[in-house]
Amino acid sequence: MASEAKASPRRYPMYINGEFVESADKKYFPVVDPSTEEVMAEVPEANETDVNRAVAAAKAAFDSGAWPQTTAQDRGRILFRLAERIRKEAPHLAELEARNSGKPIVEAEYDINDAATCFEYYGGMATKILGQVNPVPDNALSLSLREPIGVAAQIIPWNYPLLMAAWKLAPAIAAGCTCILKPAEQTPLTALEFASYLADAGLPAGVVNIITGFGETCGAPLVKHPDVDKVAFTGSAEVGKAIMRAAADTVKRVTLELGGKSPNIFFADADFESAIDGALFGVFINQGEVCSAGSRILVEKSIYPKFVEAMSAKAKTIRLGPPLERETKMGPLVSKDQFDRVRSYQELGKKEGKVAAGGGRSASFKRGYYVEPTIFYDVDNTARIAQEEIFGPVAAVIPFADEAEALRIANATPYGLAAAVWSRDIFKAFRMVKALRAGIVWVNHMQPTYVEAPWGGYKQSGFGRELGPWGIEEYLETKQVHINLNEQPIGWY
Ligand code: NAI
Ligand code: MG
């Protein structure tokens, strides 16, 4: 008898203590392809029991066995092997990433390449973690030693799934920490693929554990576990604040990257065509699902009407499409939740500003979480669409009169992740660079990100820095060692 039933979706195991496992209660949850709204895989739903297992494995691997015996060179080689494997599997990883997250395949290819580069960078850095001799007086030798912090819980979002895993895991491994990585529930697939490379690269069991689950039932118990020494989190401000509170009980080290409402500031003397491209790229890349999205577009009044018109005209030509088509420049949003959230901001924007482009669901697709690239203008900086992170392709354009007003508006936000300034006047541009309260400032560009340079925010965008030498600092403790060179008794009592 012919059955209409579809093949059941592939089940991925998660990875604890070097083994591919189900959750303790054998529950799974679906992973959805946002361009078709169909279930593309199932992954284990980890709860507190699984968290405890993963933390125990990470703690045991940190305390004893092969890992504490590895040399810096060993750790470097492991990281290089992981990078090489990512490059080898890049076509498959990019396709899986694009399907699962909705991002265009060409952008996914960049992400996978960047993930490999991050492992290479920290592979090189493993052998460059240096201690210090401190110039103390007296007959003594004073040293500062750098040691791994211990067990790191790493909780990541869905907008750059494998790349965020790389930003977290690579410096932690280089430093000698052990890890429990929790990918976002929407996009766990590339991290689970990556799990299958770890043992081949020479990583001992328990050093990296990758568990899949939801925020409340998997992320929260991980954050409060007493054997976790450090929490590294990228995601919403709301969850970041909860993590900080939960971490207080056992004084965990915490680093937070919480997104923003970054200003992209255009002076009249900027090159006009580059400016329009930069405004679009700043806010629409990756469907606008970017922590550093230039979602507040500040434009000097003398070019404002022309700017809004040119930007909107070009926005309307952005090619939306299925993530796997190479011509696609914008895919669907990651999930139904994110789609609903962005749709509600589009509706709010119609009350708070005027529509210059988009404003709704994309009419070209019957299925999939596609929304139109949307531009609102004449927005006041106090409006909710100018203050709240939308995390979708929605821009608020705000006019300004002069440099002082641009600066005042730019800094009038609780966030401080990034900012960009466009001008051909280097004096003005550099004055702005110094006065902007943001962790990343671009001049005549927006969004390029390099593993060699620090990444992180001011104000409520979080604290701590990822990437570069800063990134490894967040996984290291500093031990002061005093060695007495004077053989005489102390002689005080
Ligand atoms: P979220 O902050 O809830 O999720 C990010 C990660 O945190 C996921 O792995 C999630 O499972 C985990 N998580 C959630 N609640 C947790 C808890 N109580 N304890 C420990 N871990 C927890 O972000 P969500 O709900 O996916 O998106 C909502 C909004 O957050 C977005 O619209 C966007 O504005 C912002 N966001 C910002 C990101 C950034 O890169 N800064 C990334 C993702 C979201
Ligand atoms: Mg959430």
Side-chain angles (χ1 to χ4, degrees), residues 260-473:
K261 198 70 196 179
S262 299
N264 198 359
I265 306 162
F266 296 89
F267 287 100
D269 60 10
D271 178 75
F272 190 77
E273 254 186 73
S274 311
I276 297 303
D277 272 353
L280 294 166
F281 189 79
V283 68
F284 292 147
I285 191 78
N286 205 51
Q287 298 76 240
E289 296 165 321
V290 180
C291 50
S292 56
S295 50
R296 287 187 300 146
I297 299 180
L298 279 47
V299 182
E300 192 162 354
K301 274 183 182 150
S302 58
I303 57 164
Y304 179 76
K306 189 170 97 170
F307 191 102
V308 172
E309 198 185 301
M311 186 184 170
S312 314
K314 209 160 178 184
K316 289 172 189 162
T317 70
I318 291 175
R319 183 167 174 143
L320 269 71
L324 296 185
E325 282 181 13
R326 296 201 72 79
E327 299 71 31
T328 292
K329 290 285 166 64
M330 186 180 284
L333 298 178
V334 71
S335 65
K336 175 74 166 58
D337 277 358
Q338 197 58 19
F339 175 83
D340 290 342
R341 196 182 148 92
V342 171
R343 283 288 299 115
S344 79
Y345 278 111
Q346 285 177 321
E347 293 311 311
L348 179 64
K350 291 171 190 166
K351 295 177 203 131
E352 292 189 329
K354 297 176 186 148
V355 181
R361 171 175 205 148
S362 171
S364 317
F365 302 90
K366 295 223 157 48
R367 296 181 73 69
Y369 308 124
Y370 293 91
V371 297
E372 295 174 310
T374 298
I375 301 170
F376 295 111
Y377 69 109
D378 285 2
V379 177
D380 191 275
N381 191 55
T382 59
R384 283 183 54 204
I385 59 161
Q387 289 292 309
E388 297 173 16
E389 184 174 57
I390 298 173
F391 230 66
V394 181
V397 189
I398 305 170
F400 68 82
D402 55 17
E403 187 182 330
E405 194 185 21
L407 187 62
R408 185 184 58 70
I409 296 171
N411 283 339
T413 161
Y415 290 112
L417 184 59
V421 182
W422 298 71
S423 168
R424 278 186 285 206
D425 175 347
I426 60 163
F427 298 98
K428 185 163 61 186
F430 283 14
R431 281 195 299 271
M432 292 292 290
V433 165
K434 285 194 72 176
L436 284 162
R437 300 281 298 154
I440 301 141
V441 182
W442 289 285
V443 176
N444 294 330
H445 211 322
M446 192 174 208
Q447 303 308 354
T449 300
Y450 300 97
V451 70
E452 298 85 356
W455 184 271
Y458 283 18
K459 303 199 279 184
Q460 291 189 33
S461 290
F463 53 86
R465 290 294 176 272
E466 299 188 273
L467 305 183
W470 300 268
I472 204 154
E473 287 296 317

Side-chain angles (χ1 to χ4, degrees), residues 108-148:
E109 287 166 357
Y110 278 110
D111 294 358
I112 302 304
N113 178 64
D114 287 350
T117 305
C118 183
F119 281 100
E120 284 156 359
Y121 181 86
Y122 285 107
M125 189 158 285
T127 49
K128 281 113 200 144
I129 301 168
L130 301 179
Q132 192 173 299
V133 178
N134 306 310
V136 297
D138 250 328
N139 198 0
L141 182 61
S142 176
L143 307 176
S144 309
L145 305 185
R146 309 309 309 279
E147 298 182 340

Side-chain angles (χ1 to χ4, degrees), residues 18 67 93 114 177 184 224 317 375 429:
W67 188 240
L93 287 170
D114 287 350
C177 289
K224 70 174 203 319
T317 70
I375 301 170

